[in-house]
Amino acid sequence: MITNILKKENNLSAVLFIFSIIILQYLSWSIALVYAAALFLIMRLFSRLSKEWLYLILAFSFGYSVWALLSELIYRLDLSEEWKIILSRSGLIGFIVPFIFLQRHEKNYLSIGSFRSTIYFPLIWKGLVKDPMWRFLLVGIIIITAIFSFIIDFAAEDLLTLTLYGLLFSAVNSILEEILWRGMILSKAVSLLGPVYGLCIASLGFGLYHYSIGFSWFICILFAVGGLVFGGMTIRAKGILPSIILHFVMNMMFCLSGIIF
């Protein structure tokens, strides 16, 4: 009976986590901070929800408000649009800081990970193809590059400048997002829900949070599918370096095809 109660609390708390990700993106940084304070009050007074989940939601809410404030200040600077975008993604450091206090997990993927671990296609834990991580990663890079090669304008006059901006953006964004979403949030979600449901919740959250940077909800759902791949790689590799590499390549293709800049 106790197990069933804890399971219901975890499920309800996971729904609140997804709801918070959605609602926060409609709030200013200051109202988001009030939302975080309200969560803290609920947690301290009378909540029957999982304390671990509430700490996670609190960290996300506070981190989001810090990132939103930093982004607002950055976009007031007299800089090119490219530098504003890159610096705004650097502001994810402010997003990450609150999660440092949540690093007591049964699972902790905040490490390099193994390129020799195995992963299955298409369902991560089982499928028609069983590959070592390095080969799965290599195939993924080849497929992504091949698809975007039909979209990128290789004759563009500013291709070199775009490439340099793209390298910087991709390095910053892939490293910081993987630390946040796979190294910290996925670790916590898997500890609380197990690998399958934890992966689904963390990946859905990852996709939905992209609404805050200008993508439509439909595209956010597609990003959630990408989150399943990144998260699956992280779980199987027991670390984030493989997913950082694939994330970097994906971001680089976005930059060169004009999606980011």
Side-chain angles (χ1 to χ4, degrees):
M1 183 175 178
I2 294 176
T3 302
N4 289 335
I5 292 174
L6 290 174
K7 185 176 180 180
K8 288 180 180 179
E9 286 182 350
N10 269 334
N11 291 340
L12 182 58
S13 300
V15 171
L16 179 59
F17 175 62
I18 296 300
F19 171 79
S20 295
I21 291 174
I22 295 172
I23 199 68
L24 281 167
Q25 295 177 92
Y26 289 100
L27 306 178
S28 66
W29 69 267
S30 55
I31 302 301
L33 201 57
V34 172
Y35 182 85
L39 282 173
F40 180 76
L41 185 62
I42 291 171
M43 181 176 63
R44 296 289 294 179
L45 293 180
F46 52 82
S47 176
R48 296 179 59 187
L49 298 173
S50 164
K51 289 293 190 294
E52 293 295 316
W53 272 108
L54 280 173
Y55 278 123
L56 177 63
I57 298 167
L58 178 63
F60 186 92
S61 302
F62 184 74
Y64 177 84
S65 64
V66 172
W67 169 77
L69 172 59
L70 291 174
S71 295
E72 183 179 312
L73 295 175
I74 287 167
Y75 273 92
R76 292 178 183 176
L77 299 176
D78 185 20
L79 297 171
S80 67
E81 189 67 19
E82 291 83 359
W83 276 111
K84 288 179 181 179
I85 292 172
I86 293 168
L87 289 176
S88 175
R89 302 319 290 158
S90 301
L92 284 171
I93 294 172
F95 214 142
I96 290 169
V97 169
F99 286 90
I100 295 174
F101 301 99
L102 292 177
Q103 288 309 294
R104 294 181 181 178
H105 312 308
E106 292 178 11
K107 298 291 184 181
N108 192 339
Y109 300 120
L110 201 57
S111 61
I112 292 175
S114 171
F115 287 90
R116 294 187 177 183
S117 58
T118 57
I119 186 169
Y120 290 82
F121 180 82
L123 299 178
I124 300 171
W125 288 276
K126 60 182 179 179
L128 300 175
V129 180
K130 177 183 178 181
D131 262 337
M133 187 61 63
W134 67 265
R135 189 159 61 200
F136 181 87
L137 177 60
L138 180 61
V139 170
I141 291 172
I142 291 172
I143 291 173
I144 291 169
T145 305
I147 292 172
F148 277 89
S149 66
F150 294 99
I151 304 173
I152 298 170
D153 181 8
F154 292 101
E157 294 182 1
D158 62 344
L159 184 62
L160 178 58
T161 301
L162 191 59
T163 300
L164 294 175
Y165 279 129
L167 287 170
L168 185 54
F169 171 88
S170 300
V172 169
N173 191 64
S174 61
I175 292 172
L176 293 181
E177 280 198 340
E178 290 304 312
I179 289 174
L180 174 63
W181 283 98
R182 258 60 69 176
M184 295 182 169
I185 294 176
L186 179 64
S187 293
K188 195 66 176 179
V190 169
S191 295
L192 294 169
L193 296 174
V196 176
Y197 292 118
L199 172 61
C200 290
I201 289 297
S203 300
L204 179 59
F206 169 74
L208 295 178
Y209 116 101
H210 282 82
Y211 183 78
S212 64
I213 54 178
F215 292 99
S216 68
W217 287 118
F218 174 74
I219 297 299
C220 288
I221 296 300
L222 297 181
F223 280 137
V225 176
L228 289 172
V229 177
F230 295 143
M233 292 173 67
T234 298
I235 291 172
R236 297 297 293 180
K238 296 181 174 62
I240 61 174
L241 185 56
S243 61
I244 285 176
I245 294 172
L246 188 62
H247 199 152
F248 174 89
V249 173
M250 180 68 78
N251 282 171
M252 192 66 198
M253 294 301 104
F254 283 174
C255 291
L256 292 177
S257 59
I259 295 173
I260 304 297
F261 300 119

